[in-house]
Protein backbone atom coordinates (compact mmCIF):
# COMPACT_ATOMS: atom_id res chain seq x y z
CA UNK A 1 0.00 0.00 0.00
CA UNK A 2 0.91 3.64 -0.23
CA UNK A 3 0.50 3.97 3.58
CA UNK A 4 3.16 5.53 5.22
CA UNK A 5 4.15 7.25 12.04
CA UNK A 6 9.73 11.35 33.78
CA UNK A 7 9.26 9.35 35.77
CA UNK A 8 10.37 10.85 39.76
CA UNK A 9 12.75 9.33 42.07
CA UNK A 10 12.01 6.60 44.69
CA UNK A 11 13.08 3.01 45.02
CA UNK A 12 10.71 0.20 44.13
CA UNK A 13 10.25 -1.47 47.52
CA UNK A 14 7.45 -3.99 47.32
CA UNK A 15 6.14 -6.71 49.57
CA UNK A 16 5.52 -10.19 48.23
CA UNK A 17 1.83 -9.49 47.82
CA UNK A 18 1.40 -5.80 47.22
CA UNK A 19 3.61 -2.73 46.99
CA UNK A 20 3.93 -1.29 50.48
CA UNK A 21 5.03 2.02 48.99
CA UNK A 22 4.32 2.68 45.32
CA UNK A 23 7.47 3.33 43.32
CA UNK A 24 7.75 6.68 41.59
CA UNK A 25 10.48 6.78 38.97
CA UNK A 26 11.98 9.39 36.67
CA UNK A 27 12.88 8.74 33.04
CA UNK A 28 16.14 6.90 32.64
CA UNK A 29 17.08 5.71 29.19
CA UNK A 30 19.18 2.56 29.12
CA UNK A 31 20.74 0.55 26.35
CA UNK A 32 18.56 -2.34 25.19
CA UNK A 33 19.99 -5.81 24.68
CA UNK A 34 19.99 -7.19 21.13
CA UNK A 35 16.83 -8.90 19.95
CA UNK A 36 16.73 -12.60 20.76
CA UNK A 37 15.49 -15.45 18.58
CA UNK A 38 11.73 -16.07 18.64
CA UNK A 39 9.83 -19.30 18.10
CA UNK A 40 6.21 -20.39 18.42
CA UNK A 41 4.62 -22.33 21.28
CA UNK A 42 0.95 -22.83 20.56
CA UNK A 43 -0.54 -19.37 20.09
CA UNK A 44 2.41 -17.56 21.70
CA UNK A 45 5.67 -16.16 20.38
CA UNK A 46 8.43 -17.07 22.84
CA UNK A 47 12.01 -15.83 23.16
CA UNK A 48 15.13 -17.90 23.85
CA UNK A 49 14.71 -17.27 27.61
CA UNK A 50 11.27 -18.89 27.67
CA UNK A 51 9.30 -15.64 27.94
CA UNK A 52 6.12 -14.84 26.04
CA UNK A 53 6.79 -11.87 23.76
CA UNK A 54 4.39 -9.10 22.77
CA UNK A 55 5.35 -7.08 19.70
CA UNK A 56 4.46 -3.46 19.00
CA UNK A 57 5.95 -1.82 15.94
CA UNK A 58 5.73 -0.34 12.48
CA UNK A 59 6.06 -1.12 8.79
CA UNK A 60 8.90 0.19 6.68
CA UNK A 61 8.38 -0.81 3.04
CA UNK A 62 10.31 0.49 0.04
CA UNK A 63 8.50 -0.37 -3.19
CA UNK A 64 10.71 1.25 -5.80
CA UNK A 65 14.22 0.42 -7.02
CA UNK A 66 16.93 0.47 -5.88
CA UNK A 67 15.16 -0.61 -2.67
CA UNK A 68 16.34 -0.46 0.97
CA UNK A 69 18.77 2.45 0.71
CA UNK A 70 19.38 4.11 4.10
CA UNK A 71 19.55 7.89 3.84
CA UNK A 72 16.91 8.10 1.10
CA UNK A 73 14.26 9.45 3.46
CA UNK A 74 12.35 6.16 3.52
CA UNK A 75 14.60 3.28 4.59
CA UNK A 76 15.38 3.07 8.30
CA UNK A 77 18.68 4.36 9.62
CA UNK A 78 20.43 3.92 12.97
CA UNK A 79 18.83 7.18 14.11
CA UNK A 80 15.39 5.85 13.20
CA UNK A 81 16.10 2.64 15.09
CA UNK A 82 17.03 4.68 18.17
CA UNK A 83 13.84 6.74 17.87
CA UNK A 84 11.65 3.66 17.50
CA UNK A 85 13.30 1.80 20.39
CA UNK A 86 13.01 4.90 22.56
CA UNK A 87 9.25 4.88 22.03
CA UNK A 88 9.10 1.21 23.00
CA UNK A 89 8.67 -0.30 19.56
CA UNK A 90 10.27 -3.72 19.44
CA UNK A 91 9.43 -4.85 15.91
CA UNK A 92 9.67 -3.62 12.33
CA UNK A 93 8.06 -5.21 9.29
CA UNK A 94 10.75 -4.52 6.71
CA UNK A 95 9.60 -4.78 3.13
CA UNK A 96 11.55 -6.85 0.64
CA UNK A 97 10.69 -7.29 -3.02
CA UNK A 98 10.79 -10.31 -5.33
CA UNK A 99 11.74 -7.80 -8.01
CA UNK A 100 14.70 -6.69 -5.89
CA UNK A 101 15.76 -10.18 -4.85
CA UNK A 102 15.74 -11.57 -8.41
CA UNK A 103 15.74 -8.67 -10.91
CA UNK A 104 16.68 -11.06 -13.73
CA UNK A 105 15.40 -14.59 -14.21
CA UNK A 106 17.31 -16.90 -11.89
CA UNK A 107 19.80 -14.18 -10.82
CA UNK A 108 19.85 -13.17 -7.14
CA UNK A 109 21.11 -9.64 -6.42
CA UNK A 110 23.75 -10.05 -3.66
CA UNK A 111 24.05 -6.28 -3.10
CA UNK A 112 20.34 -6.09 -2.31
CA UNK A 113 20.64 -8.98 0.16
CA UNK A 114 23.55 -7.16 1.81
CA UNK A 115 21.49 -3.99 2.28
CA UNK A 116 18.62 -5.94 3.79
CA UNK A 117 20.97 -7.82 6.14
CA UNK A 118 22.67 -4.58 7.19
CA UNK A 119 19.30 -2.99 8.05
CA UNK A 120 18.34 -6.09 10.04
CA UNK A 121 21.56 -5.74 12.03
CA UNK A 122 20.99 -2.04 12.74
CA UNK A 123 17.53 -2.82 14.11
CA UNK A 124 18.51 -5.99 15.96
CA UNK A 125 21.23 -4.30 17.98
CA UNK A 126 18.51 -1.98 19.38
CA UNK A 127 16.36 -4.93 20.48
CA UNK A 128 14.02 -4.66 17.49
CA UNK A 129 12.69 -7.88 15.96
CA UNK A 130 12.48 -7.77 12.16
CA UNK A 131 9.82 -9.41 10.00
CA UNK A 132 10.97 -9.62 6.37
CA UNK A 133 7.83 -8.98 4.32
CA UNK A 134 7.78 -10.07 0.68
CA UNK A 135 5.66 -7.15 -0.42
CA UNK A 136 3.47 -6.67 -3.46
CA UNK A 137 0.68 -4.28 -4.39
CA UNK A 138 -0.98 -4.67 -7.76
CA UNK A 139 1.13 -7.73 -8.63
CA UNK A 140 3.77 -6.10 -10.84
CA UNK A 141 4.98 -2.95 -12.55
CA UNK A 142 3.20 -4.35 -15.61
CA UNK A 143 -0.04 -2.93 -14.18
CA UNK A 144 1.54 -0.02 -12.33
CA UNK A 145 2.08 -2.08 -9.19
CA UNK A 146 5.10 -3.66 -7.55
CA UNK A 147 6.35 -7.01 -6.35
CA UNK A 148 6.66 -9.65 -9.06
CA UNK A 149 9.34 -8.83 -11.66
CA UNK A 150 7.96 -8.29 -15.15
CA UNK A 151 9.92 -11.24 -16.51
CA UNK A 152 8.07 -13.62 -14.15
CA UNK A 153 4.58 -12.92 -15.54
CA UNK A 154 3.56 -13.41 -19.17
CA UNK A 155 0.14 -11.74 -19.09
CA UNK A 156 0.05 -8.14 -20.28
CA UNK A 157 -2.63 -5.43 -20.37
CA UNK A 158 -4.69 -5.36 -23.53
CA UNK A 159 -4.48 -2.33 -25.81
CA UNK A 160 -6.91 0.25 -24.44
CA UNK A 161 -7.74 -1.76 -21.32
CA UNK A 162 -8.65 0.77 -18.62
CA UNK A 163 -6.36 0.81 -15.59
CA UNK A 164 -8.09 2.57 -12.68
CA UNK A 165 -4.96 2.35 -10.49
CA UNK A 166 -4.48 0.74 -7.13
CA UNK A 167 -6.51 -0.87 -5.63
CA UNK A 168 -9.23 -1.09 -8.30
CA UNK A 169 -6.73 -2.42 -10.84
CA UNK A 170 -7.15 -5.81 -9.11
CA UNK A 171 -10.39 -6.03 -11.11
CA UNK A 172 -8.59 -5.80 -14.47
CA UNK A 173 -9.10 -9.06 -16.40
CA UNK A 174 -5.47 -9.20 -17.51
CA UNK A 175 -4.13 -8.74 -13.98
CA UNK A 176 -6.36 -11.59 -12.87
CA UNK A 177 -4.78 -13.72 -15.59
CA UNK A 178 -1.41 -12.76 -14.15
CA UNK A 179 -2.46 -13.92 -10.69
CA UNK A 180 -3.77 -17.16 -12.22
CA UNK A 181 -0.26 -17.74 -13.58
CA UNK A 182 1.12 -17.37 -10.07
CA UNK A 183 -1.27 -19.80 -8.37
CA UNK A 184 -1.08 -22.34 -11.18
CA UNK A 185 2.70 -21.90 -11.39
CA UNK A 186 2.08 -22.15 -15.11
CA UNK A 187 5.31 -20.35 -16.07
CA UNK A 188 7.31 -21.06 -12.92
CA UNK A 189 6.58 -17.86 -10.98
CA UNK A 190 6.18 -19.74 -7.70
CA UNK A 191 9.36 -21.71 -8.32
CA UNK A 192 11.36 -18.56 -8.91
CA UNK A 193 9.78 -16.81 -5.91
CA UNK A 194 10.62 -19.82 -3.76
CA UNK A 195 14.25 -19.66 -4.91
CA UNK A 196 14.37 -15.94 -4.12
CA UNK A 197 12.89 -16.42 -0.64
CA UNK A 198 15.29 -19.30 -0.07
CA UNK A 199 18.21 -17.00 -0.86
CA UNK A 200 16.82 -14.43 1.57
CA UNK A 201 16.38 -17.07 4.27
CA UNK A 202 19.96 -18.27 3.78
CA UNK A 203 21.31 -14.73 4.01
CA UNK A 204 19.69 -14.07 7.40
CA UNK A 205 20.20 -17.56 8.82
CA UNK A 206 21.83 -17.16 12.24
CA UNK A 207 20.51 -13.62 12.78
CA UNK A 208 18.38 -13.89 15.95
CA UNK A 209 16.66 -10.54 15.35
CA UNK A 210 14.85 -11.97 12.29
CA UNK A 211 11.48 -12.89 13.78
CA UNK A 212 10.21 -14.35 10.53
CA UNK A 213 9.74 -14.22 6.78
CA UNK A 214 6.32 -13.26 5.45
CA UNK A 215 5.78 -15.12 2.19
CA UNK A 216 3.50 -12.69 0.31
CA UNK A 217 1.69 -9.50 1.17
CA UNK A 218 -2.04 -9.35 0.44
CA UNK A 219 -2.33 -12.16 -2.12
CA UNK A 220 -5.21 -11.71 -4.57
CA UNK A 221 -7.09 -14.83 -5.73
CA UNK A 222 -7.07 -13.86 -9.42
CA UNK A 223 -9.95 -14.95 -11.66
CA UNK A 224 -11.78 -16.89 -8.89
CA UNK A 225 -12.03 -13.81 -6.67
CA UNK A 226 -15.83 -13.63 -6.90
CA UNK A 227 -16.10 -17.12 -5.41
CA UNK A 228 -14.71 -15.66 -2.17
CA UNK A 229 -17.93 -13.74 -1.59
CA UNK A 230 -19.98 -13.82 0.56
CA UNK A 231 -18.53 -16.54 2.83
CA UNK A 232 -14.95 -17.19 1.78
CA UNK A 233 -13.53 -19.48 -0.89
CA UNK A 234 -12.34 -22.92 0.31
CA UNK A 235 -11.54 -24.09 -3.22
CA UNK A 236 -9.15 -21.22 -3.87
CA UNK A 237 -7.74 -21.34 -0.33
CA UNK A 238 -6.85 -25.01 -0.88
CA UNK A 239 -4.70 -24.00 -3.86
CA UNK A 240 -3.39 -20.98 -1.99
CA UNK A 241 -2.37 -22.99 1.08
CA UNK A 242 -0.50 -25.42 -1.16
CA UNK A 243 1.37 -22.46 -2.63
CA UNK A 244 2.22 -21.18 0.85
CA UNK A 245 3.52 -24.60 1.83
CA UNK A 246 5.61 -24.77 -1.34
CA UNK A 247 7.22 -21.43 -0.52
CA UNK A 248 7.65 -22.44 3.13
CA UNK A 249 9.55 -25.53 2.00
CA UNK A 250 11.99 -23.31 0.06
CA UNK A 251 12.55 -21.20 3.18
CA UNK A 252 12.93 -24.26 5.41
CA UNK A 253 15.57 -25.78 3.12
CA UNK A 254 17.78 -22.73 3.76
CA UNK A 255 16.74 -21.82 7.30
CA UNK A 256 15.03 -24.65 9.19
CA UNK A 257 13.84 -22.76 12.28
CA UNK A 258 12.88 -19.22 11.22
CA UNK A 259 9.16 -18.55 11.74
CA UNK A 260 7.20 -18.24 8.49
CA UNK A 261 4.25 -15.86 8.30
CA UNK A 262 1.17 -16.68 6.21
CA UNK A 263 -1.42 -14.05 5.28
CA UNK A 264 -5.00 -14.86 4.34
CA UNK A 265 -5.99 -14.05 0.77
CA UNK A 266 -6.77 -10.36 0.57
CA UNK A 267 -10.55 -10.68 0.35
CA UNK A 268 -10.04 -10.92 4.14
CA UNK A 269 -9.81 -7.11 4.00
CA UNK A 270 -13.30 -7.12 2.48
CA UNK A 271 -14.65 -9.05 5.51
CA UNK A 272 -14.31 -12.57 4.08
CA UNK A 273 -13.10 -15.38 6.38
CA UNK A 274 -10.07 -17.49 5.60
CA UNK A 275 -10.14 -21.25 5.08
CA UNK A 276 -6.47 -21.74 5.89
CA UNK A 277 -5.90 -24.75 8.16
CA UNK A 278 -9.57 -25.73 8.01
CA UNK A 279 -9.92 -29.50 7.49
CA UNK A 280 -11.39 -31.02 5.44
CA UNK A 281 -11.50 -27.99 3.13
CA UNK A 282 -7.78 -27.37 3.63
CA UNK A 283 -5.10 -29.33 5.48
CA UNK A 284 -4.15 -28.69 9.09
CA UNK A 285 -0.84 -26.88 9.48
CA UNK A 286 1.80 -29.41 10.39
CA UNK A 287 4.86 -27.24 9.89
CA UNK A 288 6.32 -25.81 13.12
CA UNK A 289 6.81 -22.08 13.51
CA UNK A 290 3.97 -20.85 11.29
CA UNK A 291 2.41 -17.49 12.27
CA UNK A 292 -0.87 -16.02 11.03
CA UNK A 293 -0.41 -12.50 9.59
CA UNK A 294 -3.77 -10.79 8.95
CA UNK A 295 -4.43 -7.10 8.40
CA UNK A 296 -7.07 -5.01 10.17
CA UNK A 297 -8.38 -2.28 7.89
CA UNK A 298 -11.71 -0.54 7.63
CA UNK A 299 -13.17 -0.29 4.13
CA UNK A 300 -15.08 2.96 4.84
CA UNK A 301 -11.92 4.58 6.16
CA UNK A 302 -9.97 3.42 3.12
CA UNK A 303 -12.64 4.74 0.76
CA UNK A 304 -12.44 8.11 2.48
CA UNK A 305 -8.63 8.13 2.15
CA UNK A 306 -8.27 6.91 -1.41
CA UNK A 307 -11.45 7.83 -3.22
CA UNK A 308 -12.25 11.05 -1.34
CA UNK A 309 -15.62 9.74 -0.24
CA UNK A 310 -17.32 11.28 2.83
CA UNK A 311 -15.49 10.76 6.10
CA UNK A 312 -18.84 10.01 7.72
CA UNK A 313 -18.45 6.54 6.22
CA UNK A 314 -16.01 5.77 9.02
CA UNK A 315 -19.00 5.25 11.30
CA UNK A 316 -19.16 1.74 9.87
CA UNK A 317 -15.65 0.83 10.98
CA UNK A 318 -16.60 -0.73 14.31
CA UNK A 319 -18.78 -3.32 12.58
CA UNK A 320 -16.11 -4.33 10.08
CA UNK A 321 -13.31 -4.48 12.61
CA UNK A 322 -15.41 -6.59 14.98
CA UNK A 323 -15.90 -9.02 12.09
CA UNK A 324 -12.15 -9.09 11.41
CA UNK A 325 -11.36 -9.98 15.01
CA UNK A 326 -14.01 -12.70 15.11
CA UNK A 327 -12.33 -14.21 12.07
CA UNK A 328 -8.94 -13.95 13.80
CA UNK A 329 -10.36 -15.77 16.84
CA UNK A 330 -11.70 -18.59 14.67
CA UNK A 331 -8.38 -19.15 12.87
CA UNK A 332 -6.29 -18.87 16.04
CA UNK A 333 -8.45 -21.42 17.87
CA UNK A 334 -8.57 -24.02 15.11
CA UNK A 335 -4.93 -23.74 14.02
CA UNK A 336 -3.38 -23.08 17.46
CA UNK A 337 -0.74 -20.73 16.05
CA UNK A 338 0.25 -17.18 16.99
CA UNK A 339 -1.17 -14.12 15.26
CA UNK A 340 0.58 -10.83 14.53
CA UNK A 341 -1.49 -8.11 12.84
CA UNK A 342 1.07 -7.02 10.26
CA UNK A 343 -0.81 -3.98 8.96
CA UNK A 344 -3.42 -1.61 10.35
CA UNK A 345 -4.03 2.10 10.83
CA UNK A 346 -3.18 3.71 7.51
CA UNK A 347 -2.76 7.14 9.06
CA UNK A 348 -6.35 7.26 10.33
CA UNK A 349 -6.33 7.81 14.12
CA UNK A 350 -10.09 7.28 14.28
CA UNK A 351 -9.72 3.54 13.65
CA UNK A 352 -6.65 2.86 15.80
CA UNK A 353 -8.42 2.45 19.12
CA UNK A 354 -10.47 -0.50 17.92
CA UNK A 355 -7.44 -2.43 16.66
CA UNK A 356 -5.33 -1.67 19.72
CA UNK A 357 -8.06 -2.61 22.20
CA UNK A 358 -8.84 -5.85 20.35
CA UNK A 359 -5.14 -6.74 20.22
CA UNK A 360 -4.72 -6.07 23.96
CA UNK A 361 -7.71 -8.29 24.72
CA UNK A 362 -6.03 -11.20 22.97
CA UNK A 363 -2.38 -10.41 23.74
CA UNK A 364 -1.68 -10.12 20.02
CA UNK A 365 1.16 -8.08 18.56
CA UNK A 366 0.93 -5.57 15.75
CA UNK A 367 2.84 -3.52 13.17
CA UNK A 368 1.40 -0.14 12.22
CA UNK A 369 1.28 1.05 8.60
CA UNK A 370 3.50 3.05 7.97
CA UNK A 371 6.72 4.69 9.17
CA UNK A 372 9.24 6.29 6.80
CA UNK A 373 12.63 7.51 7.94
CA UNK A 374 12.62 10.92 9.57
CA UNK A 375 16.36 11.18 8.98
CA UNK A 376 17.13 11.62 5.30
CA UNK A 377 17.88 14.36 2.83
CA UNK A 378 15.51 16.52 4.89
CA UNK A 379 15.00 15.65 8.54
CA UNK A 380 11.41 15.61 9.76
CA UNK A 381 9.99 15.91 13.27
CA UNK A 382 9.23 12.88 15.41
CA UNK A 383 5.90 11.62 13.98
CA UNK A 384 4.85 9.95 17.23
CA UNK A 385 4.26 13.21 19.08
CA UNK A 386 0.72 13.69 17.69
CA UNK A 387 -2.59 11.90 18.21
CA UNK A 388 -1.54 8.76 16.36
CA UNK A 389 1.59 8.41 18.47
CA UNK A 390 -0.34 8.93 21.71
CA UNK A 391 -2.20 5.72 20.93
CA UNK A 392 0.65 3.69 19.46
CA UNK A 393 3.23 4.47 22.15
CA UNK A 394 1.99 2.40 25.07
CA UNK A 395 3.02 0.91 28.38
CA UNK A 396 3.03 -2.83 27.73
CA UNK A 397 4.75 -6.13 28.66
CA UNK A 398 7.38 -6.76 26.03
CA UNK A 399 8.39 -10.10 27.57
CA UNK A 400 6.46 -12.11 30.17
CA UNK A 401 8.04 -14.79 32.36
CA UNK A 402 4.78 -16.70 32.37
CA UNK A 403 1.39 -17.05 30.74
CA UNK A 404 -0.18 -13.70 29.78
CA UNK A 405 -3.43 -12.73 31.41
CA UNK A 406 -5.47 -9.55 31.41
CA UNK A 407 -3.82 -6.51 29.83
CA UNK A 408 -5.37 -3.04 30.01
CA UNK A 409 -4.00 0.40 29.12
CA UNK A 410 -5.63 3.83 28.97
CA UNK A 411 -3.95 5.77 26.17
CA UNK A 412 -5.37 9.05 27.48
CA UNK A 413 -4.16 9.03 31.07
CA UNK A 414 -1.62 6.19 31.02
CA UNK A 415 -3.19 3.91 33.64
CA UNK A 416 -1.88 0.36 33.06
CA UNK A 417 -2.69 -3.01 34.61
CA UNK A 418 -1.38 -6.44 33.68
CA UNK A 419 -1.81 -9.87 35.27
CA UNK A 420 0.11 -13.01 34.37
CA UNK A 421 0.66 -16.52 35.71
CA UNK A 422 4.40 -16.93 36.36
CA UNK A 423 6.46 -19.85 35.13
CA UNK A 424 10.20 -20.57 35.21
CA UNK A 425 12.26 -18.35 32.91
CA UNK A 426 15.91 -17.40 32.52
CA UNK A 427 15.01 -13.70 32.62
CA UNK A 428 12.31 -11.64 34.38
CA UNK A 429 9.19 -10.02 32.97
CA UNK A 430 9.98 -6.76 31.17
CA UNK A 431 7.47 -3.93 30.89
CA UNK A 432 8.16 -0.90 28.73
CA UNK A 433 6.91 2.33 30.34
CA UNK A 434 5.65 4.82 27.76
CA UNK A 435 7.86 7.87 27.31
CA UNK A 436 4.81 9.99 26.39
CA UNK A 437 2.22 9.36 29.09
CA UNK A 438 3.91 10.21 32.41
CA UNK A 439 5.39 13.74 32.27
CA UNK A 440 5.41 13.99 36.08
CA UNK A 441 6.58 10.48 36.80
CA UNK A 442 4.94 7.10 37.26
CA UNK A 443 3.90 4.95 40.19
CA UNK A 444 4.43 1.19 39.99
CA UNK A 445 2.58 -1.32 42.17
CA UNK A 446 3.06 -5.07 42.12
CA UNK A 447 1.03 -7.86 43.70
CA UNK A 448 2.59 -11.32 43.89
CA UNK A 449 6.08 -10.15 42.93
CA UNK A 450 8.65 -7.38 43.14
CA UNK A 451 10.35 -4.87 40.89
CA UNK A 452 13.98 -5.80 40.21
CA UNK A 453 14.96 -2.92 37.92
CA UNK A 454 16.63 0.23 39.17
CA UNK A 455 14.52 3.23 40.06
CA UNK A 456 14.00 5.31 36.94
CA UNK A 457 14.23 2.42 34.51
CA UNK A 458 12.34 2.82 31.26
CA UNK A 459 12.03 -0.98 31.24
CA UNK A 460 10.52 -2.18 34.53
CA UNK A 461 11.53 -5.74 35.36
CA UNK A 462 9.37 -7.87 37.65
CA UNK A 463 10.22 -11.10 39.45
CA UNK A 464 7.43 -13.32 40.76
CA UNK A 465 7.54 -14.31 44.43
CA UNK A 466 6.04 -17.73 43.85
CA UNK A 467 3.48 -19.46 41.69
CA UNK A 468 0.53 -17.16 42.38
CA UNK A 469 -0.59 -14.71 39.67
CA UNK A 470 1.36 -11.46 39.44
CA UNK A 471 -0.39 -8.13 38.83
CA UNK A 472 1.51 -5.00 37.81
CA UNK A 473 -0.06 -1.54 37.85
CA UNK A 474 1.58 1.62 36.52
CA UNK A 475 0.03 5.09 36.60
CA UNK A 476 0.70 8.77 37.12
CA UNK A 477 1.22 9.97 40.72
CA UNK A 478 -2.00 12.02 40.56
CA UNK A 479 -4.06 9.00 39.44
CA UNK A 480 -5.42 6.14 41.52
CA UNK A 481 -4.67 3.82 38.59
CA UNK A 482 -8.29 2.77 38.14
CA UNK A 483 -9.11 4.63 34.93
CA UNK A 484 -8.86 1.50 32.80
CA UNK A 485 -10.76 0.04 29.83
CA UNK A 486 -13.42 -2.47 30.78
CA UNK A 487 -12.16 -4.98 28.22
CA UNK A 488 -8.84 -6.78 28.32
CA UNK A 489 -7.11 -10.04 27.60
CA UNK A 490 -8.10 -13.17 29.50
CA UNK A 491 -7.45 -13.90 33.16
CA UNK A 492 -3.96 -15.27 33.88
CA UNK A 493 -3.53 -18.91 33.13
CA UNK A 494 -6.85 -19.34 31.34
CA UNK A 495 -5.29 -19.63 27.88
CA UNK A 496 -8.44 -18.12 26.40
CA UNK A 497 -9.03 -14.82 24.70
CA UNK A 498 -11.21 -12.17 26.26
CA UNK A 499 -14.53 -11.08 24.96
CA UNK A 500 -15.21 -10.43 21.97
CA UNK A 501 0.19 13.01 13.86
CA UNK A 502 2.15 14.10 11.40
CA UNK A 503 5.73 13.63 10.24
CA UNK A 504 6.35 10.41 8.36
CA UNK A 505 3.38 8.44 9.64
CA UNK A 506 1.45 8.55 6.40
CA UNK A 507 -1.57 7.28 4.59
CA UNK A 508 -2.10 3.93 2.97
CA UNK A 509 -4.47 1.94 0.82
CA UNK A 510 -7.23 -0.60 0.51
CA UNK A 511 -5.23 -3.46 1.76
CA UNK A 512 -1.54 -3.88 1.14
Amino acid sequence: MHRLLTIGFSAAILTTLVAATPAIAAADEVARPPASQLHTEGRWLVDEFGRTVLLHGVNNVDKQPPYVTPGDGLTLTAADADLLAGHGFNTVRLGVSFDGLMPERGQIDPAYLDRVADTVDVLGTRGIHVLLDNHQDGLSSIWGGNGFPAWSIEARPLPGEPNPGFPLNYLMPTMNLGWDEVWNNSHGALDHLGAALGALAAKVNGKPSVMGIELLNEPWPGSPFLTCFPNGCPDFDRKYQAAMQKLTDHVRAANPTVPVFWEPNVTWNQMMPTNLANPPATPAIGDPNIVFAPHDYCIPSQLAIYLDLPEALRAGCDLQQANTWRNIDVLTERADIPTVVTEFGDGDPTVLASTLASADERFIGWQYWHYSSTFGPTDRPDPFLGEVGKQLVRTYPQATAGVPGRLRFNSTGGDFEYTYQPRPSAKPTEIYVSDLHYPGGYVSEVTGGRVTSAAGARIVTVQADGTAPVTVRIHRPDSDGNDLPTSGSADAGSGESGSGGGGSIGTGSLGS
Side-chain angles (χ1 to χ4, degrees), residues 187-207:
H187 303 296
L190 277 180
D191 294 329
H192 288 297
L193 175 57
L197 293 176
L200 176 66
K203 182 68 177 182
V204 300
N205 195 5
K207 292 184 180 294

Side-chain angles (χ1 to χ4, degrees), residues 431-446:
I431 298 172
Y432 168 79
V433 180
S434 167
D435 63 338
L436 300 183
H437 288 86
Y438 312 98
Y442 68 75
V443 175
S444 61
E445 303 168 340
V446 179

Side-chain angles (χ1 to χ4, degrees), residues 57-59 91-93 131 340-344 366-369:
V58 298
N59 278 258
T91 183
V92 164
R93 183 179 184 239
L131 175 61
V340 176
V341 175
T342 56
E343 286 189 25
F344 75 103
W366 45 257
Q367 294 159 322
Y368 174 81
W369 186 277

Side-chain angles (χ1 to χ4, degrees), residues 1 3-4 45 55-61 91-95 129-135 137 211-219 240 259-264 266 268-269 290-297 324-325 328 338-346 355-356 359 364-371 511-512:
M1 308 186 333
R3 299 169 288 231
L4 297 162
L45 285 169
L55 299 165
H56 288 182
V58 298
N59 278 258
N60 181 250
V61 179
T91 183
V92 164
R93 183 179 184 239
L94 181 66
H129 301 271
V130 183
L131 175 61
L132 298 172
D133 155 46
N134 176 38
H135 207 88
D137 292 308
M211 60 177 275
I213 295 176
E214 189 168 343
L215 300 178
L216 187 60
N217 177 69
E218 294 191 341
Y240 172 61
V260 177
F261 284 59
W262 292 7
E263 286 201 27
V266 74
W268 170 279
N269 289 4
I290 299 296
V291 180
F292 186 50
H295 297 171
D296 183 20
Y297 284 118
T324 295
W325 285 92
I328 289 174
T339 291
V340 176
V341 175
T342 56
E343 286 189 25
F344 75 103
D346 208 4
T355 296
L356 298 173
I364 283 176
W366 45 257
Q367 294 159 322
Y368 174 81
W369 186 277
H370 178 276
Y371 174 87
S512 176

